[in-house]
Amino acid sequence: MFRQTLLAVLIAGLLSPAVQAQESSLFRVSGFGTLGATHFSRDDIDFGGGPNVQKGAGRSATTSLAVDSKLGLQMRLTPTANLEATLQTMVRKTPRDDWNPSIDWANIKYSFNENVAVRVGRIGHPFFLLSDYRQVNYANLTLRPPVEVYNLVPVNSSDVIEGLFTLPLAGGQLNLQAGVGQVRAEVIPSLPAQRKYDKADIDELAYVNATYENGPWTLRVGRTEGKLSYDALSARQQIFTPLGRFGATGAAIRDAWEIRDARSSFTGIGGTYDAGRFVLTGEYVMLRSERAFNDTDAWSLLGGYRIGKFTPYLSYSAAKTRNRIEIADVAPRLAPLVGAATAGALQAGIQSLANNSVRDQETVSLGVRWDVYKNMALKAQFDRVTPKSPGSQGFLINRGSDYPTRAAGNVFALSLDFVF
């Protein structure tokens, strides 16, 4: 009932002109959305766009509205000059393959003065350069953020207590954000036929994020650490629970490879130069984790040039696995206990779990943005997507049995972005 109520509120906000009349110093309602159509040239695998689209364009549907379309509504209540409450709900495709609304922001912020504040509740986690407005496509130049960078962590929100600090520095402004909390996230299932979704939890979450703005420059560096628990490929049920029955040797192998409370970190550095006509953006991120989860670096570079209401742009992005995990010692250790066949199957299962986090891929994108009307932009984008690692599908999803290794594909997309 709660989700249906949220959906009704969202639709009412989109359709009613009374929304604008509700804006005041006490209560303000705003919204954003994207209506997108995405086509993928392959029919043996899907392009999913965002990190949590279970069925995208390609194998599931030649052209899909689910890849990039979304609607969002944000409400802000400011009972005093120092106190602000924010609630943001969104309708988009979820890891459960439905359109049920989600709550991405739900927090209370208290400002001690113009330079120091504390915030408690749910926020869009600051993993990336575009984190604060990642879902508001109108605020971004491109049709979608680069997949290789922004899909590396399939988590949008975290529940935190954080401090916010603003400082003048060298003629510009430094914004600091630091906090602790946790993440409880649903992600698309690694084995869709066996389950509705996977779960990714991060405990003992701690992060710091610094953004410096000075004239046309915006520079950002951030780091997040925590203990990751991730059950992909039904590994807990099919591999690690059985291992616990094989005495001390099985328990030791389970503890060495199961992605449970695995110490992990995510570090990002990026910047934007926007001097009016010229726009240049670059970002580099590093994901590091223990157990059967591969370390990955990813980066992107984008350049654009404004010509009146049109902004053509060109970008390149890539992800590369570092020190790819190869399992070699599990079967020899287990064979005396369970036999060669069972030991080999368990080792292969752990190897499959590790391979699940191999995301080597590159994308070259060419697009144009047309600011067709006030608060409304029409975008067209072409992507050449190429998985790069043997045996990996990169960030493509829903692979068919006939999909060849490292096969590239072309993405054609149109979107209408708006804010109100």
Side-chain angles (χ1 to χ4, degrees):
M1 182 63 183
F2 179 59
R3 288 177 173 174
Q4 283 82 353
T5 302
L6 284 175
L7 180 59
V9 170
L10 178 58
I11 295 174
L14 289 171
L15 297 181
S16 174
V19 169
Q20 298 295 334
Q22 291 175 3
E23 292 191 1
S24 66
S25 59
L26 175 64
F27 182 67
R28 183 174 61 186
V29 179
S30 59
F32 58 90
T34 296
L35 179 61
T38 305
H39 170 83
F40 190 43
S41 62
R42 303 198 65 88
D43 61 5
D44 50 8
I45 199 166
D46 280 351
F47 174 82
N52 286 321
V53 176
Q54 189 178 136
K55 295 180 181 178
R59 182 181 176 216
S60 297
T62 303
T63 301
S64 173
L65 300 179
V67 172
D68 295 301
S69 297
K70 67 186 77 172
L71 291 171
L73 182 68
Q74 186 177 95
M75 293 163 280
R76 289 190 178 182
L77 179 66
T78 312
T80 70
N82 299 89
L83 187 63
E84 180 181 82
T86 300
L87 176 67
Q88 179 176 299
T89 180
M90 288 193 61
V91 175
R92 63 188 167 206
K93 258 308 178 71
T94 75
R96 297 172 182 247
D97 198 31
D98 59 32
W99 290 88
N100 285 337
S102 63
I103 296 179
D104 287 6
W105 294 72
N107 59 72
I108 296 175
K109 176 183 175 183
Y110 182 80
S111 300
F112 296 95
N113 52 51
E114 63 181 8
N115 296 320
V116 180
V118 62
R119 185 160 57 183
V120 180
R122 179 165 296 179
I123 65 167
H125 194 84
F127 287 112
F128 305 104
L129 180 64
L130 303 180
S131 288
D132 284 349
Y133 45 93
R134 175 180 177 180
Q135 302 298 336
V136 186
N137 281 359
Y138 178 83
N140 303 320
L141 173 58
T142 59
L143 189 141
R144 73 180 71 83
V147 168
E148 288 77 8
V149 173
Y150 283 74
N151 286 18
L152 196 58
V153 180
V155 170
N156 293 315
S157 303
S158 56
D159 300 319
V160 303
I161 301 174
E162 67 173 6
L164 304 167
F165 309 92
T166 301
L167 306 169
L169 179 66
Q173 178 174 290
L174 177 65
N175 300 308
L176 297 175
Q177 181 180 10
V180 296
Q182 66 178 20
V183 171
R184 297 291 181 265
E186 296 177 357
V187 299
I188 59 173
S190 303
L191 294 174
Q194 296 189 21
R195 52 171 56 182
K196 292 184 177 180
Y197 57 89
D198 289 343
K199 291 190 67 177
D201 298 337
I202 305 175
D203 292 303
E204 299 182 18
L205 179 77
Y207 61 95
V208 61
N209 182 50
T211 304
Y212 179 67
E213 299 175 335
N214 192 339
W217 291 98
T218 299
L219 305 174
R220 176 201 171 274
V221 61
R223 183 174 175 88
T224 296
E225 295 185 353
K227 290 185 175 180
L228 171 67
S229 297
Y230 179 39
D231 182 18
L233 298 173
S234 300
R236 188 163 299 161
Q237 176 184 353
Q238 297 186 22
I239 303 171
F240 296 113
T241 298
L243 276 172
R245 305 188 188 112
F246 302 144
T249 298
I253 294 171
R254 177 199 62 197
D255 294 342
W257 294 111
E258 184 177 15
I259 307 173
R260 177 180 287 187
D261 293 333
R263 179 60 64 182
S264 305
S265 68
F266 187 86
T267 306
I269 183 170
T272 296
Y273 176 78
D274 189 343
R277 285 182 176 263
F278 292 97
V279 181
L280 184 65
T281 296
E283 193 163 5
Y284 194 101
V285 300
M286 295 171 287
L287 176 62
R288 300 291 183 266
S289 188
E290 299 175 324
R291 318 284 171 78
F293 202 100
N294 284 278
D295 296 341
T296 303
D297 291 358
W299 55 93
S300 66
L301 184 64
L302 176 143
Y305 184 77
R306 295 187 179 93
I307 308 171
K309 295 184 176 182
F310 294 89
T311 308
Y313 57 85
L314 176 67
S315 70
Y316 173 81
S317 55
K320 177 66 176 177
T321 300
R322 302 300 184 189
N323 302 318
R324 181 169 176 171
I325 295 170
E326 298 290 347
I327 313 296
D329 65 336
V330 168
R333 294 168 64 188
L334 285 176
L337 300 174
V338 300
T342 300
L346 288 170
Q347 176 171 298
I350 298 174
Q351 185 65 66
S352 295
L353 176 64
N355 292 344
N356 193 59
S357 59
V358 174
R359 297 297 185 90
D360 295 13
Q361 179 177 294
E362 67 177 17
T363 298
V364 178
S365 301
L366 177 64
V368 61
R369 172 188 174 123
W370 176 24
D371 287 279
V372 62
Y373 192 69
K374 181 182 179 181
N375 295 337
M376 189 176 294
L378 185 65
K379 300 174 184 176
Q381 185 168 308
F382 165 81
D383 305 287
R384 177 65 175 177
V385 180
T386 308
K388 301 296 288 186
S389 180
S392 170
Q393 64 193 54
F395 289 91
L396 301 177
I397 59 173
N398 195 27
R399 175 172 58 185
S401 58
D402 55 344
Y403 174 74
T405 302
R406 289 186 287 178
N410 300 321
V411 183
F412 305 88
L414 290 172
S415 74
L416 179 65
D417 299 332
F418 54 91
V419 296
F420 60 92

